[in-house]
Amino acid sequence: MNTFGNRFRLTTFGESHGTAVGGVVDGCPAGLPIDNAFVNEELHRRRDGDTPSKETTQRKEPDHVEWLSGIYEGKTLGTPIAFAIRNSDCHPEDYESLRHCFRPGHADYTYSMRYGHRDYRGGGRASGRETAARVVGGAIAKLWLKEQGVSFHTVTKGYTVACTVRGVPAGTGNPVFDRIDARLAYAMISIPSASAFAMGQDAGDWQLPPDRYPDQWVDRGEGETLTATNHCGGVQGGISNGMPIVFHVGFHPPVTRPEGMICRREDGSLTSVAPGGRHDKSHIPRLPVIVESMAALTVADLMLDCMK
Amino acid sequence: MNTFGNRFRLTTFGESHGTAVGGVVDGCPAGLPIDNAFVNEELHRRRDGDTPSKETTQRKEPDHVEWLSGIYEGKTLGTPIAFAIRNSDCHPEDYESLRHCFRPGHADYTYSMRYGHRDYRGGGRASGRETAARVVGGAIAKLWLKEQGVSFHTVTKGYTVACTVRGVPAGTGNPVFDRIDARLAYAMISIPSASAFAMGQDAGDWQLPPDRYPDQWVDRGEGETLTATNHCGGVQGGISNGMPIVFHVGFHPPVTRPEGMICRREDGSLTSVAPGGRHDKSHIPRLPVIVESMAALTVADLMLDCMK
Amino acid sequence: MNTFGNRFRLTTFGESHGTAVGGVVDGCPAGLPIDNAFVNEELHRRRDGDTPSKETTQRKEPDHVEWLSGIYEGKTLGTPIAFAIRNSDCHPEDYESLRHCFRPGHADYTYSMRYGHRDYRGGGRASGRETAARVVGGAIAKLWLKEQGVSFHTVTKGYTVACTVRGVPAGTGNPVFDRIDARLAYAMISIPSASAFAMGQDAGDWQLPPDRYPDQWVDRGEGETLTATNHCGGVQGGISNGMPIVFHVGFHPPVTRPEGMICRREDGSLTSVAPGGRHDKSHIPRLPVIVESMAALTVADLMLDCMK
Amino acid sequence: MNTFGNRFRLTTFGESHGTAVGGVVDGCPAGLPIDNAFVNEELHRRRDGDTPSKETTQRKEPDHVEWLSGIYEGKTLGTPIAFAIRNSDCHPEDYESLRHCFRPGHADYTYSMRYGHRDYRGGGRASGRETAARVVGGAIAKLWLKEQGVSFHTVTKGYTVACTVRGVPAGTGNPVFDRIDARLAYAMISIPSASAFAMGQDAGDWQLPPDRYPDQWVDRGEGETLTATNHCGGVQGGISNGMPIVFHVGFHPPVTRPEGMICRREDGSLTSVAPGGRHDKSHIPRLPVIVESMAALTVADLMLDCMK
């Protein structure tokens, strides 16, 4: 189902070239002031990337959030916060050549297998544009988490985003399945083009030498100085220990190539198609805010779950 | 919560040195014959490892499954299948020195932060022994999946387990959040000591060179010959394409050292403790069946979800 | 949470005098044609009642459904169907006198206890207007159920609505908790002003004489002629037997009186207030379509759950 | 699924003549002392009724609870509490005549439609014996609720049980779907043989005269003296107002008759069968503790959900 979270829940909706993308946040605490400027800034980070360049999307959407419910006199009511972002700059005719064939590396074929038919325009539901709804949901989560003293920091390196979350109280998370590290893995691999996840410092190297484990206690240390190193990334047994939570996410590059592509027709035969529509040369600059948003949704959900 | 899955659900229970570990499988289709010998074989793979050696656990439990409900005349009823595995070879006195202090690298400290008190004997709920319940649940899932033509294969390399799942129908999985790759990541990182997850062939190297993407279609190919390569690991947009599903899981080494450890007392001061109880020198040989079990639970859940 | 159902899920949002009420339907099968005229007819039944009269609402909303996602070329995509109904005929100033006091019989006081603050205009989230979103969700469920041969029929008597659902396959529902009768009770009591629920023929009298039980089998009977009587209302052990499903819902009358009311101030003292805003003299004519909508959501959810 | 609740969750398992009935309580707060004598007393109330008589069950089970996990040194760990009650006094041969036919008024036919096959002995999963697991789960909920100042009181009248819950804090429950009254309706109609539910004082008469609504405020009243009457039963808009929560549950009589019954064979033909096995003349004396248990599970779940 298209819902993320149990206590702080985001349901997203929308196809790339339909009327709108958007979402419903259910479970956000009542009385939280919503800073519209911050939400829009986060949306701009998604559209243009942290370092605006010609590499990111060529789509010129204002990406203005329209609030439909759940906010009154600038504060959340505790009721569902629904929002929509209109799809205004659509050129669906660019995608006409894709109506009856499947691009390589995209979800065209698998959606057809799953649903029988699909909105082939601009990737439909599988488009990266759906992540705009995640960024709005994540921004609301961040506003609440900021009040709780939680902050997010990301660094990009090649196709890897490293994320550090500071201020998560010790004791957040659950044993066995609903662990904070497993939930972060789930959240991150749900991002389009994400293919790898690792917990801990330097985990981008996949695995540390065995002699780095375990992290050793610091005498009388508290909070962020609990252990001398933080190779485990702030989580033990699925529960945070109060140290910074550190993880890495690996992505594969965009799969649409400017030189065209060989597509699969419905009868299984192949055909050469020029890439219509607009596509990122690189989507890396857009990823940090999406990683942070999914991390914020995860952490807000588990903090609400574990509050006493 | 201690439940995995939505349609094929496993709830596990039990502490390492309590009365029993066990679980409840809810949602298993009715009429499935339960092959007791197979379930016990899987449990033995967990206890002794695929290559039995002196490296694995020194605990001598028969690990006999007791079925409590849900099976009648050898077949599942469609009602909850409850089972228990008694903890018979306990020496809780071995752990008395840990009552008031926290080991490094273990979940002792985080459980105390989460719950206020804990069963400190042998790791309590955080013990690897809990995975016995996952293996029983996974074995039931495998029995159903075998009828559907789905098989599992694992290869171990240093601290990495590579898993291949064959026979999952194209169109299994969901867009956006409830993706088959994201659900596998969640399942794998929920395994004790798992720290990394990657989709696709050779993903154990964290990331492939960009020019490997996307996988190219094969003319008129079907099923396992759909694409010339399978770098994406059989999943596009969160939905299987019918190719083998391939993923890698990275683990960190056991954190209990034979030479002893520096523990943290409740007042934050440090103390040296000899490692009582029994501990694996290496837990790697035990991991493949756990990886397969969690994969089977994930795939069974999503196949039931996507059946028409 | 503001979500109903597991497989066919409706999330509703919106306050009576906010921007819009609406919802997201997740899990509706792909390829279903959406008959817009039917959806709007159902909305009109809710606004004007089955027998239009001066007794029902004085609010003049066009109640036009705006589809935001999930429908392409007139058919459902299998992705979330989001919709909004704008609140265009608002006179929030009518409710200014209620900003700091609680009406008797309304949810004003309990919402304040739950959330700390509230949107006091026209009942906010607790307004009957929220049911417009349920009617749209229910209409989509009915369109799918019609394809499956399921139909709904209601009869109103004083403050009781009797509902008959025909065509639900034998074997729909679950034992123990997720029973079709328990789910219908949940669905019905969730309707504003509903206060009683009973299964079976003539159940509006609360209970039949004991000698009416059990319903006796008919020789070689099939489907709707399975039993000679249907006092149990088509459900045994929480699962449908193929006979018509029959239940009754009792409502209490509207609690806003034209002669004014004694409200409670925040400090606990009392004050007399004239009823501003617009209120139904009777809401009975509007209830049948809401009862049918909630029944349709329940039945669609369980039929998808039990399909093989 | 066989799980009740979201925060305080009970999963039950077991067939009447299988190895055991039992359950898993997940989400119970850590550190709660478990009073074994109280749990067993509640089980005895279920077996013998509040007024022991010859009318209740003739089955002589000791109904001893065996705790499998989640309790350490007499207190809950916060981990899943698994328990089993052995089925020791079984005479499955009494039911042999029912192997291939369906009793009237029972779930024999509907289970076969749902699952294809069934455990026909003593009702299998549909037996009233499953409620023993609910009573244990409810007893644990009551122990926690007692610490929170919540108490339960029931009165039986003909086939109706009236229940009053005192001490639920104002602001417990949710708007729209997850309402405390709707959740109680769901919980009550899930009890075998329950057929009607009504909120409020004297609701056993199905509906009060319209002029009883709404309940009027009391000047400066607090808690249980908030309103002059309590016709609404302590809930407004799905959320408790701090007054006693009052509801009624109607049951139909036992459907097995001592004079025998006409059963339906698998081919649809009829056959006369003498009622083997043991059956209650009346199950009314056993119902109060089951009603209280389901109410306790509902209230504990929603209080944990709404705590700040």
Side-chain angles (χ1 to χ4, degrees):
Chain A
M1 297 292 176
N2 296 271
T3 298
F4 184 88
N6 298 303
R7 299 281 293 170
F8 191 106
R9 313 210 303 179
L10 173 67
T11 301
T12 74
F13 60 80
E15 282 72 47
S16 179
H17 288 67
T19 304
V21 296
V24 180
V25 173
D26 201 1
C28 180
L32 178 74
I34 294 298
D35 177 344
N36 253 309
F38 173 72
V39 177
N40 283 317
E41 253 168 60
E42 292 283 279
L43 272 179
H44 295 162
R45 286 179 68 196
R46 194 202 72 92
R47 196 189 53 186
D48 297 331
D50 280 348
T51 320
S53 78
K54 287 186 186 168
E55 295 198 349
T56 46
T57 195
Q58 301 162 43
R59 189 160 164 168
K60 306 293 181 202
E61 309 256 348
D63 276 353
H64 170 73
V65 183
E66 181 188 10
W67 303 109
L68 298 174
S69 68
I71 300 172
Y72 179 59
E73 298 183 338
K75 289 184 185 171
T76 57
L77 282 165
T79 58
I81 304 167
F83 59 90
I85 305 163
R86 301 271 155 181
N87 295 325
S88 53
D89 183 35
C90 299
H91 300 276
E93 64 281 6
D94 291 355
Y95 300 93
E96 194 57 33
S97 59
L98 298 176
R99 183 187 270 269
H100 297 294
C101 75
F102 310 119
R103 292 167 296 173
H106 284 273
D108 302 350
Y109 176 75
T110 55
Y111 268 55
S112 279
M113 292 295 104
R114 176 77 173 87
Y115 297 115
H117 76 143
R118 67 195 160 96
D119 180 351
Y120 58 88
R121 302 166 304 166
R125 180 78 179 135
S127 164
R129 183 153 176 75
E130 179 269 342
T131 58
R134 305 191 193 199
V135 168
V136 174
I140 297 172
K142 275 185 178 176
L143 287 170
W144 180 72
L145 288 167
K146 198 180 175 186
E147 287 195 350
Q148 311 290 319
V150 176
S151 66
F152 297 83
H153 182 67
T154 42
V155 175
T156 308
K157 189 176 139 185
Y159 286 104
T160 298
V161 176
C163 182
T164 302
V165 189
R166 291 177 190 277
V168 178
T172 302
N174 296 292
V176 182
F177 298 124
D178 205 15
R179 302 157 82 99
I180 195 165
D181 44 1
R183 287 285 302 278
L184 285 168
Y186 174 68
M188 294 307 141
I189 299 298
S190 81
I191 300 173
S193 84
S195 60
F197 171 88
M199 280 302 294
Q201 282 188 347
D202 297 322
D205 300 323
W206 181 250
Q207 280 173 328
L208 291 178
D211 61 5
R212 304 285 178 87
Y213 292 94
D215 299 302
Q216 298 296 331
W217 300 115
V218 169
D219 190 38
R220 313 271 172 189
E222 278 184 23
E224 298 211 353
T225 58
L226 190 77
T227 53
T229 54
N230 187 22
H231 297 309
C232 75
V235 178
Q236 288 162 321
I239 302 172
S240 63
N241 64 10
M243 293 283 285
I245 296 176
V246 183
F247 60 89
H248 294 71
V249 193
F251 295 86
H252 66 67
V255 287
T256 303
R257 298 300 166 77
E259 63 269 21
M261 52 195 166
I262 309 296
C263 291
R264 187 182 202 261
R265 290 199 196 90
E266 285 167 8
D267 69 356
S269 66
L270 305 183
T271 176
S272 181
V273 175
R278 290 151 295 186
H279 301 279
D280 294 2
K281 276 188 213 163
S282 167
H283 61 328
I284 291 295
R286 304 153 65 102
L287 293 169
V289 71
I290 303 173
V291 166
E292 291 174 24
S293 296
M294 292 309 299
L297 289 165
T298 304
V299 169
D301 191 45
L302 287 170
M303 280 178 60
L304 284 168
D305 189 40
C306 299
M307 273 180 152
K308 283 151 196 169
Chain B
M1 296 294 176
N2 297 272
T3 299
F4 184 87
N6 298 302
R7 299 280 293 168
F8 191 107
R9 312 207 308 178
L10 172 68
T11 301
T12 75
F13 61 79
E15 283 72 47
S16 178
H17 288 67
T19 304
V21 296
V24 181
V25 172
D26 201 1
C28 181
L32 178 75
I34 294 298
D35 177 343
N36 252 310
F38 173 72
V39 177
N40 283 320
E41 253 169 61
E42 292 284 279
L43 273 178
H44 295 161
R45 286 179 68 196
R46 194 203 72 91
R47 196 189 53 187
D48 297 330
D50 282 346
T51 319
S53 76
K54 288 187 184 168
E55 294 199 348
T56 46
T57 194
Q58 302 162 41
R59 188 161 164 168
K60 306 293 181 204
E61 309 255 349
D63 275 353
H64 170 73
V65 182
E66 182 186 10
W67 303 109
L68 298 175
S69 68
I71 299 172
Y72 179 58
E73 298 183 339
K75 290 184 184 173
T76 57
L77 284 165
T79 58
I81 305 166
F83 59 91
I85 305 162
R86 302 271 155 181
N87 296 324
S88 53
D89 183 35
C90 299
H91 301 276
E93 64 281 6
D94 290 354
Y95 300 92
E96 194 56 35
S97 60
L98 298 175
R99 183 187 269 270
H100 297 295
C101 75
F102 310 119
R103 291 168 296 172
H106 284 274
D108 303 350
Y109 176 75
T110 55
Y111 268 55
S112 279
M113 291 295 105
R114 176 77 174 86
Y115 297 115
H117 77 142
R118 68 195 159 95
D119 180 350
Y120 57 88
R121 301 166 304 165
R125 180 78 180 136
S127 164
R129 184 154 175 74
E130 179 269 340
T131 58
R134 305 190 193 200
V135 168
V136 174
I140 297 172
K142 275 184 178 178
L143 286 170
W144 180 72
L145 288 167
K146 198 180 174 187
E147 288 195 350
Q148 310 291 320
V150 177
S151 66
F152 297 82
H153 183 68
T154 41
V155 175
T156 309
K157 188 177 139 184
Y159 285 104
T160 297
V161 176
C163 183
T164 303
V165 190
R166 291 178 191 277
V168 178
T172 302
N174 296 291
V176 181
F177 298 124
D178 205 15
R179 303 157 82 100
I180 196 166
D181 45 0
R183 286 287 302 278
L184 284 168
Y186 173 69
M188 296 306 141
I189 299 297
S190 81
I191 299 173
S193 84
S195 60
F197 172 87
M199 281 300 294
Q201 283 188 347
D202 297 323
D205 300 323
W206 180 252
Q207 279 172 329
L208 291 177
D211 60 6
R212 303 284 178 88
Y213 293 94
D215 297 302
Q216 298 296 330
W217 300 116
V218 168
D219 189 38
R220 313 271 171 187
E222 276 183 27
E224 298 212 354
T225 58
L226 190 78
T227 53
T229 54
N230 186 23
H231 297 309
C232 76
V235 179
Q236 288 163 318
I239 301 172
S240 64
N241 64 11
M243 293 283 285
I245 296 177
V246 183
F247 60 89
H248 294 70
V249 193
F251 295 85
H252 65 68
V255 288
T256 303
R257 298 300 167 78
E259 64 270 20
M261 51 195 168
I262 308 296
C263 291
R264 186 182 204 261
R265 290 199 196 89
E266 286 167 8
D267 68 356
S269 64
L270 304 184
T271 177
S272 182
V273 175
R278 289 151 296 186
H279 301 279
D280 294 0
K281 277 186 211 162
S282 168
H283 59 330
I284 290 294
R286 304 153 65 101
L287 292 170
V289 71
I290 304 174
V291 166
E292 291 175 24
S293 296
M294 292 308 299
L297 289 165
T298 305
V299 168
D301 191 44
L302 287 170
M303 279 179 60
L304 284 168
D305 189 40
C306 299
M307 273 180 151
K308 281 151 198 169
Chain C
M1 296 291 176
N2 297 270
T3 298
F4 184 87
N6 298 304
R7 299 280 292 168
F8 190 107
R9 312 210 306 178
L10 172 68
T11 301
T12 75
F13 60 80
E15 282 72 46
S16 177
H17 288 67
T19 304
V21 296
V24 181
V25 172
D26 201 0
C28 181
L32 178 74
I34 294 299
D35 177 343
N36 251 310
F38 173 72
V39 177
N40 283 318
E41 252 169 60
E42 291 284 279
L43 272 178
H44 295 162
R45 285 179 69 196
R46 194 204 71 91
R47 194 188 55 186
D48 296 331
D50 281 346
T51 319
S53 77
K54 288 186 183 168
E55 293 199 349
T56 46
T57 194
Q58 301 162 42
R59 188 160 165 168
K60 306 292 181 203
E61 308 257 349
D63 275 354
H64 170 73
V65 183
E66 181 187 10
W67 303 110
L68 298 174
S69 69
I71 300 172
Y72 178 59
E73 298 183 338
K75 289 183 184 172
T76 57
L77 283 165
T79 58
I81 304 166
F83 59 90
I85 305 162
R86 301 272 155 181
N87 296 324
S88 53
D89 182 37
C90 298
H91 300 275
E93 64 281 6
D94 291 355
Y95 299 92
E96 194 56 34
S97 60
L98 299 176
R99 182 187 270 269
H100 297 296
C101 74
F102 310 119
R103 291 168 297 171
H106 284 273
D108 302 352
Y109 176 75
T110 55
Y111 268 56
S112 280
M113 292 294 104
R114 176 77 173 88
Y115 296 116
H117 77 142
R118 68 195 158 96
D119 180 350
Y120 59 88
R121 301 166 305 165
R125 179 80 179 135
S127 164
R129 183 154 175 75
E130 180 270 340
T131 59
R134 305 191 192 199
V135 168
V136 174
I140 296 172
K142 275 185 179 178
L143 287 170
W144 180 73
L145 288 167
K146 197 180 174 187
E147 288 195 349
Q148 310 291 319
V150 177
S151 66
F152 298 83
H153 182 69
T154 41
V155 175
T156 309
K157 188 176 139 186
Y159 286 104
T160 298
V161 176
C163 183
T164 302
V165 189
R166 291 178 190 279
V168 178
T172 303
N174 296 292
V176 182
F177 298 124
D178 206 15
R179 303 157 81 100
I180 195 165
D181 45 0
R183 288 285 302 278
L184 284 169
Y186 173 69
M188 295 306 142
I189 299 298
S190 81
I191 300 173
S193 84
S195 59
F197 172 87
M199 281 301 293
Q201 282 187 347
D202 297 322
D205 300 323
W206 181 250
Q207 279 172 327
L208 291 178
D211 61 6
R212 304 285 177 88
Y213 292 95
D215 298 301
Q216 298 296 331
W217 299 116
V218 168
D219 189 39
R220 312 271 170 187
E222 278 183 25
E224 299 212 352
T225 58
L226 190 77
T227 52
T229 53
N230 187 22
H231 297 310
C232 76
V235 179
Q236 288 163 319
I239 301 172
S240 63
N241 63 10
M243 293 282 286
I245 296 177
V246 183
F247 60 88
H248 294 71
V249 193
F251 295 86
H252 66 65
V255 287
T256 303
R257 299 300 166 77
E259 65 269 21
M261 50 196 167
I262 308 297
C263 291
R264 186 182 203 261
R265 290 197 195 89
E266 287 167 6
D267 68 356
S269 64
L270 304 184
T271 176
S272 181
V273 175
R278 289 151 297 185
H279 301 279
D280 294 1
K281 276 186 209 162
S282 167
H283 60 328
I284 291 295
R286 304 154 65 101
L287 293 170
V289 71
I290 303 173
V291 166
E292 290 174 25
S293 296
M294 293 308 299
L297 289 165
T298 305
V299 169
D301 190 44
L302 286 171
M303 279 178 60
L304 284 169
D305 188 39
C306 298
M307 272 179 153
K308 284 150 197 170
Chain D
M1 296 292 176
N2 296 271
T3 299
F4 184 87
N6 298 302
R7 300 280 291 168
F8 190 106
R9 312 208 308 177
L10 172 68
T11 300
T12 74
F13 60 80
E15 282 72 46
S16 178
H17 288 67
T19 305
V21 296
V24 181
V25 172
D26 200 0
C28 181
L32 178 74
I34 294 299
D35 178 343
N36 252 310
F38 173 72
V39 176
N40 283 318
E41 253 170 61
E42 291 284 278
L43 272 178
H44 294 162
R45 286 179 68 196
R46 194 203 72 92
R47 195 189 53 186
D48 297 329
D50 281 346
T51 319
S53 78
K54 289 186 184 168
E55 295 199 348
T56 46
T57 194
Q58 301 162 41
R59 187 159 165 169
K60 306 294 180 202
E61 310 255 349
D63 276 354
H64 170 73
V65 183
E66 181 187 10
W67 303 109
L68 298 175
S69 69
I71 300 173
Y72 179 58
E73 298 183 338
K75 289 182 185 174
T76 58
L77 282 165
T79 59
I81 304 165
F83 59 90
I85 305 163
R86 302 270 155 182
N87 296 325
S88 52
D89 182 35
C90 299
H91 300 276
E93 63 283 4
D94 291 356
Y95 300 92
E96 195 55 35
S97 60
L98 299 176
R99 183 187 269 270
H100 296 294
C101 75
F102 310 119
R103 291 167 297 172
H106 284 274
D108 302 349
Y109 176 76
T110 55
Y111 267 57
S112 279
M113 292 295 105
R114 175 78 173 87
Y115 296 115
H117 77 143
R118 67 195 160 95
D119 180 351
Y120 59 88
R121 302 166 305 166
R125 180 80 179 136
S127 164
R129 183 152 175 77
E130 179 269 341
T131 58
R134 306 191 192 199
V135 168
V136 174
I140 297 172
K142 274 184 180 178
L143 287 170
W144 180 72
L145 288 167
K146 196 180 175 188
E147 288 195 350
Q148 310 291 320
V150 177
S151 66
F152 297 83
H153 183 68
T154 41
V155 175
T156 308
K157 190 177 137 183
Y159 286 104
T160 298
V161 176
C163 183
T164 302
V165 190
R166 292 177 190 278
V168 178
T172 302
N174 295 291
V176 181
F177 298 124
D178 206 15
R179 304 156 81 101
I180 196 166
D181 44 1
R183 287 286 302 278
L184 285 168
Y186 173 69
M188 296 305 142
I189 299 298
S190 82
I191 299 173
S193 84
S195 60
F197 172 87
M199 281 300 294
Q201 282 188 348
D202 297 323
D205 300 322
W206 180 251
Q207 280 173 328
L208 291 177
D211 61 6
R212 303 286 177 87
Y213 292 94
D215 298 302
Q216 298 297 331
W217 300 115
V218 169
D219 190 39
R220 313 272 172 187
E222 279 184 23
E224 298 212 353
T225 57
L226 189 77
T227 52
T229 53
N230 187 23
H231 297 309
C232 75
V235 179
Q236 288 163 320
I239 301 171
S240 64
N241 64 12
M243 294 282 285
I245 296 177
V246 183
F247 61 88
H248 293 71
V249 193
F251 295 86
H252 66 67
V255 287
T256 302
R257 298 300 165 79
E259 64 270 20
M261 51 195 167
I262 309 295
C263 291
R264 186 182 203 261
R265 290 198 196 90
E266 285 168 7
D267 68 356
S269 65
L270 304 183
T271 176
S272 182
V273 175
R278 290 150 297 184
H279 301 279
D280 295 2
K281 279 186 209 164
S282 168
H283 59 329
I284 291 295
R286 304 154 65 102
L287 293 170
V289 70
I290 303 173
V291 165
E292 291 174 25
S293 295
M294 293 308 299
L297 289 166
T298 305
V299 168
D301 190 45
L302 287 170
M303 279 178 61
L304 284 168
D305 189 39
C306 298
M307 273 181 151
K308 283 151 196 169

